[in-house]
Amino acid sequence: MKDLNDFAKDFQESLNLVQSKLGETMVKIGSDALALIKKRVQEEGVDAKGKKFPPYSTEPMLVGCKSFKKKSCDSFFGAEKNKQHEWVTLKRGEKNYRLAVLEGGYQELRRMELGGKNAEVVNFTYTGAMWGDVSIISDPSEHDAGTVVLGAKDQEQKEILYHNTQRNLKKGGGEILDLSESEVDILKDIYLTPVLNIFK
């Protein structure tokens, strides 16, 4: 029969085992958390509280051919480039840029590019560059301390993620990279249960 010292020894050994694998476990949790967030946001267009993200802007915007994929550019501008649309000339440094006004704004741009498929679903997926860049950005020492951080690595994508997040918050939406309660429960089932079993 085990005495108190035996229980204390077993407990310490279990604790050491959990601690030795903590960094590795945190990376797995971070990867799975990101997969859950991306699936929900990209497929459903809802935040962690189940609320739809604020709609894309329908304010008229300035576009050039580089704003589109080739097919949509040809379709929008057509052969009569100088006659079809309202045009604006912007000066940037020594160069002048001639841009057309797109009525319906960014939402219309998405509709044209996506052929109407999920064009109005706010999922922050147009080129896919932002989501392709979002990953675990914390370092091993943080993982070993029980922390994992998700975010963008590339400076341009950081700014896009920040802009999208701030826009949502100002319009009453939620953080893009938050986990929902059900997603937290999924991660607990995957990772917490095995840890608790170590101590049994």
Side-chain angles (χ1 to χ4, degrees), residues 26-86:
M26 292 308 299
V27 170
K28 290 179 180 177
I29 290 173
S31 296
D32 286 347
L34 180 56
L36 290 169
I37 293 168
K38 287 175 70 173
K39 185 176 188 302
R40 168 174 45 79
V41 175
Q42 290 186 293
E43 293 182 10
E44 301 173 38
V46 297
D47 66 19
K49 295 182 179 178
K51 183 179 178 182
K52 293 284 185 184
F53 288 108
Y56 289 119
S57 173
T58 56
E59 290 292 318
M61 66 182 287
L62 299 178
V63 294
C65 225
K66 290 183 179 179
S67 305
F68 301 92
K69 296 173 184 175
K70 187 176 186 305
K71 185 177 180 181
S72 295
C73 171
D74 293 343
S75 173
F76 179 72
F77 288 110
E80 302 292 327
K81 281 191 177 181
N82 294 322
K83 298 178 181 179
Q84 278 184 297
H85 308 289
E86 178 185 347

Side-chain angles (χ1 to χ4, degrees), residues 40-191:
R40 168 174 45 79
V41 175
Q42 290 186 293
E43 293 182 10
E44 301 173 38
V46 297
D47 66 19
K49 295 182 179 178
K51 183 179 178 182
K52 293 284 185 184
F53 288 108
Y56 289 119
S57 173
T58 56
E59 290 292 318
M61 66 182 287
L62 299 178
V63 294
C65 225
K66 290 183 179 179
S67 305
F68 301 92
K69 296 173 184 175
K70 187 176 186 305
K71 185 177 180 181
S72 295
C73 171
D74 293 343
S75 173
F76 179 72
F77 288 110
E80 302 292 327
K81 281 191 177 181
N82 294 322
K83 298 178 181 179
Q84 278 184 297
H85 308 289
E86 178 185 347
W87 291 81
V88 174
T89 300
L90 296 181
K91 188 174 181 65
R92 292 287 184 268
E94 297 299 315
K95 293 184 178 181
N96 289 329
Y97 295 90
R98 202 144 185 267
L99 302 172
V101 176
L102 174 63
E103 297 295 336
Y106 186 64
Q107 188 174 106
E108 176 62 14
L109 177 66
R110 284 177 55 85
R111 187 197 66 75
M112 293 174 67
E113 291 288 71
L114 300 174
K117 182 181 179 182
N118 289 330
E120 294 184 10
V121 175
V122 179
N123 57 15
F124 313 101
T125 306
Y126 181 55
T127 65
M130 187 192 84
W131 284 117
D133 188 62
V134 172
S135 60
I136 294 172
I137 59 173
S138 42
D139 60 47
S141 64
E142 292 175 284
H143 304 155
D144 290 340
T147 300
V148 63
V149 181
L150 301 175
K153 292 183 177 180
D154 176 76
Q155 185 59 39
E156 181 181 356
Q157 301 309 321
K158 281 182 183 179
E159 291 173 7
I160 290 173
L161 177 61
Y162 175 81
H163 170 77
N164 284 333
T165 300
Q166 291 305 305
R167 175 181 175 274
N168 284 318
L169 293 175
K170 286 177 183 176
K171 292 194 172 187
E175 294 275 357
I176 296 172
L177 296 181
D178 269 355
L179 282 163
S180 69
E181 288 185 10
S182 62
E183 289 161 351
V184 170
D185 288 340
I186 289 171
L187 294 173
K188 282 181 180 178
D189 287 342
I190 296 173
Y191 294 101

